[in-house]
Amino acid sequence: MLGVPKCATLHIENGVIVREDGFVTNSGDVINSLTMEDAYKYLGMWQSSSIQKVRVKEHLVNTFADRLSAILKTSLNSKHTTKAINTFAIPALAYSFGVVPWSDTELEGLNRKVRTLMTKWNKHHPRAAKERIHIPRKQGGRGILDVKEVCHSQVRNLRNYFLSRNDSTLHAAVNAIDKSYTPLRLACHDLNEEQPSDPVAGQLEAWASKPLHGRFYHSVAQDHVSEGKSFLWLSKGQLYPETEGFVLAIQDQVISTRNYKRYILKEKIESDKCRKCNAASETIDHITSGCALLAGKEYTERHNNMAKIIHLALANDRELCDTAEPYYKYCPATVLENQRFRLYWDNPILTDKTIMANRPDIVLVDKRDRTAYIIDIIEPELTLRGSYEDPQD
């Protein structure tokens, strides 16, 4: 049965759309004729005598922004947020790549919209390295697809498909006449003539070349540093996007410290000394590991939060306790014991010779094997090459 409400006719004379009376079917239904202002939606594209590119692009951009905003409003963790953007938001645009022409400026604008909306919903720091948005997670980025690269890749794939169809006279005819009818411009290219550069390598190079953002990249790139383990937390993506974005901003050193304000933002402040200890320049390095006033409480609390994760795992594994309590709510007991094991938390050890550092974080005693495991937790640090200084100081 013919779906008349979905049908329309289009009359063109000498390249001009002409309005005619509707077409009457045998059943008496009328199929209306399109006017110059009307368009027909076919396979998702508004078209009349040709595809209405401006209208199609406007619709696609709005759909993309709506989907992206809907994803960023959710409580998904970082990895699932990235996957949702790559599989739900970006495909709204990718459907048109190779059919509707997109300029590099427009594609860069779409990438900018991703960063803008992520900043609006506190998922990205506005001054953090924008290259890390599109770098894979295992290499220190967030793994969101680069819209520009997705477009160029799809155009290349479509072009190579058409140019490789030597068995079809229809494809050969299309290839011969398409000089500017489609974004593929088949008549102007040869099969596999383009050798695309590695987009990830380009993003990494751009990140490394930045004097401030690139510090962390060069720190991780050192021979004695494991890139895989350094970015394992990003690969797992279990943090909330807000937390992940804040951690990346710390690594990129764009947090509003006094040193950053004075030497990067060029704000007029009296001193860049730490507002806590007033002994050294207030940098990310100093705040996280070098402030004497923070060492007594904040550094100790951070250290204990790390150590109790291991304590909880040992206690559950050795059947010293049976709790499903998350690590951030767990409060280790000083001593846990069963018939075989004894587990100490932050307990001093009596020794024959006096040892000042006799208080390990965790001690596990195996009473049957008569062995003891002394476990101390340290926090590895990456030196980010100090702070900025004014040459005139």
Side-chain angles (χ1 to χ4, degrees):
M1 185 176 180
L2 188 63
V4 174
K6 297 182 179 181
C7 297
T9 62
L10 179 64
H11 300 272
I12 300 177
E13 294 181 4
N14 297 323
V16 179
I17 298 177
V18 178
R19 176 61 186 266
E20 292 192 359
D21 296 333
F23 176 78
V24 181
T25 66
N26 293 334
S27 60
D29 296 317
V30 178
I31 299 177
N32 294 321
S33 175
L34 295 181
T35 64
M36 183 71 74
E37 295 77 19
D38 294 333
Y40 186 82
K41 189 175 183 181
Y42 179 67
L43 297 179
M45 303 291 174
W46 293 101
Q47 50 192 296
S48 54
S49 58
S50 62
I51 296 177
Q52 296 189 348
K53 302 178 183 65
V54 175
R55 182 176 180 180
V56 170
K57 285 182 181 179
E58 182 179 355
H59 171 72
L60 292 175
V61 170
N62 291 336
T63 302
F64 171 68
D66 290 343
R67 291 188 180 188
L68 184 59
S69 296
I71 293 169
L72 296 176
K73 291 177 184 178
T74 66
S75 299
L76 294 171
N77 67 24
S78 296
K79 190 172 184 178
H80 290 160
T81 297
T82 296
K83 187 173 183 179
I85 293 173
N86 290 345
T87 59
F88 181 62
I90 292 180
L93 297 168
Y95 180 75
S96 69
F97 296 157
V99 179
V100 178
W102 293 86
S103 67
D104 285 351
T105 302
E106 291 172 323
L107 297 172
E108 288 292 352
L110 293 171
N111 281 332
R112 193 180 307 114
K113 184 176 288 291
V114 173
R115 298 194 298 272
T116 301
L117 289 176
M118 289 183 68
T119 301
K120 176 182 177 181
W121 295 101
N122 298 319
K123 320 289 186 183
H124 172 67
H125 193 285
R127 295 186 181 273
K130 65 180 182 180
E131 294 80 10
R132 299 185 73 177
I133 292 284
H134 306 299
I135 292 172
R137 288 182 167 270
K138 63 182 180 180
Q139 293 178 268
R142 308 188 76 171
I144 297 175
L145 293 175
D146 184 338
V147 177
K148 182 178 177 180
E149 177 55 31
V150 172
C151 179
H152 290 174
S153 177
Q154 184 150 318
V155 167
R156 283 194 301 270
N157 292 338
L158 284 171
R159 182 180 293 144
N160 288 336
Y161 168 77
F162 275 89
L163 294 175
S164 65
R165 290 299 303 271
N166 298 324
D167 58 325
S168 171
T169 55
L170 174 61
H171 287 80
V174 171
N175 296 340
I177 66 170
D178 181 22
K179 295 181 179 181
S180 59
Y181 287 115
T182 74
L184 306 182
R185 302 183 73 233
L186 298 168
C188 305
H189 295 274
D190 296 324
L191 181 63
N192 293 321
E193 70 173 5
E194 298 175 88
Q195 298 297 328
S197 59
D198 184 357
V200 176
Q203 297 279 10
L204 289 171
E205 184 179 352
W207 177 23
S209 66
K210 294 189 172 182
L212 181 62
H213 298 157
R215 290 181 175 187
F216 182 73
Y217 174 87
H218 291 296
S219 297
V220 176
Q222 298 178 78
D223 293 337
H224 64 277
V225 177
S226 170
E227 180 181 291
K229 292 181 180 178
S230 297
F231 297 136
L232 183 61
W233 67 281
L234 276 171
S235 298
K236 291 186 175 181
Q238 296 173 343
L239 299 178
Y240 284 116
E242 298 90 338
T243 307
E244 182 178 273
F246 186 62
V247 173
L248 294 185
I250 293 174
Q251 292 178 346
D252 291 336
Q253 299 194 70
V254 294
I255 300 301
S256 186
T257 62
R258 284 185 171 181
N259 181 272
Y260 180 76
K261 287 180 178 180
R262 184 174 186 180
Y263 298 115
I264 304 300
L265 301 183
K266 305 300 181 181
E267 294 183 5
K268 294 181 179 180
I269 59 176
E270 293 183 1
S271 171
D272 68 327
K273 298 296 183 182
C274 174
R275 67 196 79 182
K276 281 286 186 179
C277 66
N278 201 35
S281 181
E282 187 181 271
T283 63
I284 294 295
D285 280 350
H286 177 76
I287 294 172
T288 56
S289 59
C291 182
L293 292 184
L294 295 177
K297 180 181 178 183
E298 279 76 8
Y299 295 169
T300 301
E301 183 178 349
R302 180 181 64 190
H303 170 274
N304 290 343
N305 285 337
M306 294 174 60
K308 70 183 183 180
I309 297 174
I310 299 175
H311 187 277
L312 176 60
L314 287 172
N316 285 331
D317 184 67
R318 299 316 194 268
E319 297 182 352
L320 293 165
C321 69
D322 184 16
T323 177
E325 190 175 33
Y327 72 89
Y328 51 85
K329 293 184 179 180
Y330 179 65
C331 185
T334 305
V335 181
L336 292 174
E337 186 173 11
N338 58 19
Q339 292 183 350
R340 180 176 175 180
F341 297 101
R342 186 183 299 119
L343 186 63
Y344 294 102
W345 167 263
D346 197 25
N347 245 349
I349 296 178
L350 300 179
T351 57
D352 295 335
K353 295 181 179 180
T354 301
I355 299 176
M356 298 303 296
N358 68 338
R359 199 181 185 96
D361 296 319
I362 301 170
V363 177
L364 176 64
V365 179
D366 189 329
K367 294 186 285 187
R368 189 184 69 184
D369 295 342
R370 300 174 66 84
T371 57
Y373 302 89
I374 299 176
I375 304 172
D376 247 342
I377 311 299
I378 62 171
E379 301 167 29
E381 298 176 8
L382 288 173
T383 301
L384 302 180
R385 301 186 181 180
S387 61
Y388 272 103
E389 296 180 358
D390 192 334
Q392 298 179 354
D393 287 353

